[in-house]
Amino acid sequence: MRDATFDQLAKLVAEKPNDKNNPDNKNMHRPTFELHIGIAEGWFSLILLAVVVYSTIWCVQAVGWVDHLNILTLTTAIGLIVGVLAAKQRRFPPLLIHVSVLIFGLLLAFWQTAGAFYHGDIAAFVQAIHRWLNVLYSTGSSDDDSIFLFFIVTLGFVLAYSSAWLVYHTRNPWLVILANSVVLLINLSNVNDGFVIFLTVFLTASLLLLLRFNLYESVQRWKRQGLRYADDIGWDVMQAGSMISIGILIFSWFLPWGYIDPNAAQVWNASSNPWVQLQNTWNRVISISGGSNPSNHGSFRDNLVLAGNPNLNHDLVLTVQTDDDGSQYLMSLNYDTYLGVNGWTNTPVGNIPVKANNALLSDVPAMSHLVKQTVTITSPPGEQKSYILGASQIAAVNGNANVTESTTSGATIAWLSQNWNLNPGTHYIVTSYVSSADENTLRSVSLPADAPVYPSSYDGPLPPTVYTQSVVKANTQMPAELDPQVHQLALKITANAHTMYDKVVALETYLRTNYTYSVDIHRPSGDEGVSWFLFRSGNKGFCNYFSSAMTVMARSLGIPAREAVGYTNGSYDSKNHRHVVYGTDAHSWTQVYFAGYGWVNFEPSASFATFSRPLPNQFSASNSGSLSGSLGGGVVPPNVRNGRLNDLNGPDSGSSPTITAAQSQAQLRQQLGFGLGGLVLLILFASLIFGIWWTRLFRRYGIATQLYGRLCIMANWAGIELHTSQTPFEYTQELANLTPDSAVSLARFSDIYVRDRWADPNSSDHPQRTGEMDELPRLWRQIQPRLALYVLRHPHFLRWLPSRLWHTVQTLWRRQRARRRFNEL
């Protein structure tokens, strides 16, 4: 302390006096205008902060979600500058600053987005926002990239501003790192492995920022305390910190990676999870597909938007070993609802758990054989859920799974892995039903309008010509605003086709013959995809457009059809006797429902080979295998149905899928597990909130008053009320009688508290002077658990808590009524 005083005195002595009579000082007056730009924390801290933020923003640009992301660089710089200025000013309140900056950020993002997408036409962008709001309040999906760009630009500005505010005002760089890391990791999961450099730069800059900021805070504390420190301590500490940071990164690089707890992962993959539901809503209302998608090797979600270039890369996705000729496509999921402008989605779905190697005997085609495929994952596709790939229709998997079914029609939408994940190196065996129906058999199937309908009272065997009406209704759905030219074109194409199969083949052939496969397309925002492709695209498009056009035209003729997505059969590797599937093999095609024979694949996309149909009696009964046993190849006996008799009664039967007792019990256990998990999370969240409230209770008072107030509250919870006539000694004595183990600690606690509150602060026996205040935390640690145990044994608060809550509700209701009456006067 004496050295610090001496340094300050020496500094004062060294200053030259400003003597007006000294002619040598006439030019030493201060300038009329002096500009000083600096940051107390140093420019290096701002540079590190900028590196942290820009490593996140540039990663977003590298992903290339939409066009024009280059504007983020300027927006982020503006956000950082505004954040620093807002954090350093002391004239205006923080709330006013935040609101003003948020409005400024929205206007900046609006202006930049309108300039990028609409050449500065503000009215056009306002109309786009209006269309998006309509989608938000409906069940549709958006395909306007400008909305996503608007959100991402706003996010970039807010992220930069909040980062500067958290560092320079709230002094909490940890929150900066947490916020930026969340955005960075989301984007890193959508870029090539080489872009991990962003993570390396981010981690290095983050560690150095923490080190630099903590060093600055320590130096300021040392100055206030008058402690001496080396002038070059900053350089030494930052140099050592850089070496330590690099060492941590190198050590982390060699740690094991890729571990995912399958049981914990199910909490996040469940469709009932609020986070998953939020993701689904985000994916529905925010599009990043209207322009060029980021490079990917297949991305499957609950919604399929007819958009721009899919930008598929040639990454190796998986390999398949199969016991058939290897011509089967690998389906991920299918869609039954066409929304027009907003693409494809599904009716409400539910999950049915299926044990490993257990066959799902639902909707088994009358003529089908089993195909077994061994799938080995090399690079998992971008999946919203853990979809299992296999030839449609999947019968069983050698792992526990959840079957997603439409609650409206009962049709299978997809299979999901239940307690295992599709990580690199994962392999599974999937057995599927594949149609054995030849062309003549399929030609014998009539249109749903001409098929027989059996009453609900009919209990005999149903012929394969009977349609499941709920499936027909769900898969002939059409949007009300669909261009009528689509139906007229379908009628023209199928004019000379007399059977349902021939009509479907005519649609398939027309598209393959008259349209060209191309990914270089740009559908105008707001145009319905099928109509645009058929009449205004220049007769070019890629698989999503071909398959959607065929599916929608078939539906317009009353033919049940749906959109299927997944991968083609890839290319055959003769050396290893397997099929190799790349990202460029991601595909979509059309499936048509034939009564009794299930869903049959059709390939409308030009440049892709059509599906070959089996020859008559190619798969004979002699090749049949046991479905419940080895699940080997063979013919499934005809007329094996799932027993959904009510579904056959008509379109308004409203029946639900039949679930076996074992599946029902498994589903109940799953629901109980999610319920208990949610309860545990709720308890943990409540405990966190209670802990924050409890630690901040009476924080404006001294420690003695804080602890005494908490003591009174806990005692009140046990029914020991503090009366106005009681002194602290009398009240703590009452507590001591009820908790004898705490008697000594309570007596000492009350003595220190009373003297702290009412003794003369200048007296020698005041606790602040004697150092007895330091005993209070130790005494409280002894009293609190014993008093808490007494509260648990005597939970008096359970008696008055409901009445107090009811009293609070009544009070609020009376105030509301009084306010309403006052307004009516």
Side-chain angles (χ1 to χ4, degrees), residues 68-377:
H68 311 296
L69 282 175
N70 57 299
I71 63 179
L72 281 173
T73 301
L74 176 61
T75 305
T76 304
I78 296 175
L80 283 172
I81 295 173
V82 172
V84 173
L85 294 177
K88 292 299 182 180
Q89 66 84 33
R90 295 292 183 268
R91 182 182 297 272
F92 303 102
L95 180 60
L96 178 61
I97 290 294
H98 294 333
V99 173
S100 302
V101 169
L102 180 59
I103 295 174
F104 173 77
L106 290 172
L107 293 176
L108 178 64
F110 182 92
W111 172 65
Q112 288 190 306
T113 305
F117 269 94
Y118 299 97
H119 305 288
D121 190 348
I122 296 178
F125 187 38
V126 170
Q127 293 177 359
I129 295 177
H130 182 263
R131 289 193 302 268
W132 176 78
L133 291 174
N134 292 333
V135 171
L136 182 64
Y137 290 105
S138 66
T139 59
S141 301
S142 173
D143 64 342
D144 191 348
D145 282 1
S146 63
I147 301 299
F148 184 82
L149 181 65
F150 173 76
F151 276 104
I152 207 69
V153 171
T154 304
L155 174 63
F157 177 87
V158 172
L159 184 65
Y161 168 79
S162 59
S163 297
W165 178 270
L166 289 172
V167 168
Y168 295 113
H169 186 85
T170 62
R171 328 296 292 178
N172 200 334
W174 277 107
L175 290 180
V176 175
I177 296 172
L178 178 62
N180 283 271
S181 64
V182 170
V183 179
L184 177 66
L185 293 177
I186 290 175
N187 285 272
L188 282 177
S189 63
N190 293 277
V191 295
N192 296 329
D193 295 339
F195 287 101
V196 74
I197 185 64
F198 288 117
L199 180 60
T200 304
V201 174
F202 173 84
L203 292 176
T204 304
S206 298
L207 292 172
L208 292 178
L209 177 63
L210 289 173
L211 188 63
R212 172 67 183 175
F213 189 82
N214 289 330
L215 175 63
Y216 171 79
E217 293 288 301
S218 299
V219 169
Q220 296 302 310
R221 184 173 64 254
W222 296 339
K223 287 182 178 180
R224 291 193 299 269
Q225 295 174 351
L227 301 176
R228 299 186 64 184
Y229 57 91
D231 295 334
D232 58 348
I233 188 173
W235 167 251
D236 292 338
V237 171
M238 295 305 296
Q239 186 179 24
S242 300
M243 299 300 297
I244 294 174
S245 301
I246 296 173
I248 292 174
L249 291 177
I250 295 175
F251 177 76
S252 302
W253 187 267
F254 292 101
L255 288 177
W257 63 277
Y259 173 76
I260 297 177
D261 188 294
N263 296 320
Q266 291 304 306
V267 176
W268 302 106
N269 294 333
S271 59
S272 58
N273 189 306
W275 174 250
V276 174
Q277 294 176 353
L278 178 61
Q279 283 183 314
N280 294 341
T281 303
W282 173 266
N283 293 327
R284 176 177 65 83
V285 301
I286 299 297
S287 167
I288 57 173
S289 304
S292 297
N293 291 318
S295 177
N296 67 95
H297 49 266
S299 180
F300 308 111
R301 298 186 173 274
D302 288 344
N303 301 91
L304 178 67
V305 179
L306 301 182
N309 189 346
N311 201 11
L312 298 173
N313 55 41
H314 200 63
D315 292 348
L316 178 61
V317 179
L318 53 90
T319 60
V320 182
Q321 291 178 315
T322 179
D323 58 3
D324 72 336
D325 60 358
S327 62
Q328 299 300 320
Y329 282 6
L330 298 172
M331 189 178 76
S332 177
L333 75 159
N334 56 73
Y335 307 96
D336 60 15
T337 303
Y338 185 59
L339 303 173
V341 175
N342 300 313
W344 291 92
T345 187
N346 276 306
T347 52
V349 298
N351 288 332
I352 298 177
V354 178
K355 292 293 185 180
N357 296 318
N358 282 6
L360 182 67
L361 297 175
S362 61
D363 292 332
V364 180
M367 292 180 62
S368 61
H369 59 282
L370 292 173
V371 172
K372 181 182 292 185
Q373 299 166 305
T374 301
V375 179
T376 302
I377 303 296

Side-chain angles (χ1 to χ4, degrees), residues 686-708:
S687 301
L688 177 63
I689 297 299
F690 176 81
I692 295 174
W693 170 77
W694 186 252
T695 55
R696 294 174 63 86
L697 196 63
F698 307 116
R699 64 185 183 278
R700 297 183 179 179
Y701 299 93
I703 184 173
T705 306
Q706 289 182 32
L707 298 180
Y708 185 77

Side-chain angles (χ1 to χ4, degrees), residues 357-590:
N357 296 318
N358 282 6
L360 182 67
L361 297 175
S362 61
D363 292 332
V364 180
M367 292 180 62
S368 61
H369 59 282
L370 292 173
V371 172
K372 181 182 292 185
Q373 299 166 305
T374 301
V375 179
T376 302
I377 303 296
T378 301
S379 179
E383 295 183 317
Q384 183 177 356
K385 301 174 184 176
S386 52
Y387 299 116
I388 297 174
L389 293 160
S392 58
Q393 304 163 241
I394 296 178
V397 185
N398 68 331
N400 295 337
N402 286 322
V403 178
T404 301
E405 291 191 346
S406 168
T407 57
T408 303
S409 65
T412 299
I413 302 298
W415 282 59
L416 308 174
S417 62
Q418 187 180 111
N419 54 5
W420 48 286
N421 298 279
L422 304 179
N423 296 323
T426 302
H427 69 273
Y428 59 90
I429 300 175
V430 58
T431 305
S432 304
Y433 305 116
V434 175
S435 175
S436 303
D438 57 89
E439 290 188 351
N440 291 332
T441 301
L442 295 176
R443 284 192 175 94
S444 67
V445 180
S446 59
L447 288 162
D450 303 327
V453 178
Y454 283 75
S456 58
S457 58
Y458 183 80
D459 57 358
L462 296 170
T465 55
V466 177
Y467 279 95
T468 304
Q469 293 300 318
S470 58
V471 176
V472 173
K473 181 180 180 180
N475 292 279
T476 53
Q477 167 271 341
M478 302 279 281
E481 69 279 4
L482 185 68
D483 188 348
Q485 294 184 77
V486 175
H487 177 57
Q488 296 299 323
L489 179 60
L491 290 174
K492 180 180 178 181
I493 295 171
T494 61
N496 297 323
H498 303 292
T499 68
M500 187 174 84
Y501 179 76
D502 290 332
K503 292 179 183 294
V504 176
V505 172
L507 295 175
E508 179 187 45
T509 304
Y510 176 82
L511 292 171
R512 295 176 59 85
T513 304
N514 295 279
Y515 291 82
T516 304
Y517 191 93
S518 173
V519 296
D520 185 20
I521 63 171
H522 303 280
R523 179 174 66 87
S525 177
D527 270 19
E528 186 271 314
V530 170
S531 176
W532 175 82
F533 170 68
L534 291 174
F535 307 113
R536 299 181 297 279
S537 66
N539 288 25
K540 64 178 183 178
F542 56 91
C543 57
N544 291 356
Y545 289 91
F546 280 92
S547 56
S548 296
M550 179 175 175
T551 303
V552 171
M553 285 196 292
R555 290 185 172 195
S556 71
L557 300 174
I559 299 174
R562 68 186 184 185
E563 183 84 352
V565 296
Y567 290 95
T568 67
N569 56 339
S571 56
Y572 185 64
D573 179 6
S574 59
K575 181 178 179 181
N576 297 299
H577 305 289
R578 63 183 183 179
H579 282 260
V580 182
V581 178
Y582 297 94
T584 49
D585 295 316
H587 193 50
S588 66
W589 62 96
T590 299

Side-chain angles (χ1 to χ4, degrees), residues 30-38:
R30 301 184 65 180
T32 57
F33 177 78
E34 182 178 359
L35 178 62
H36 176 71
I37 300 177

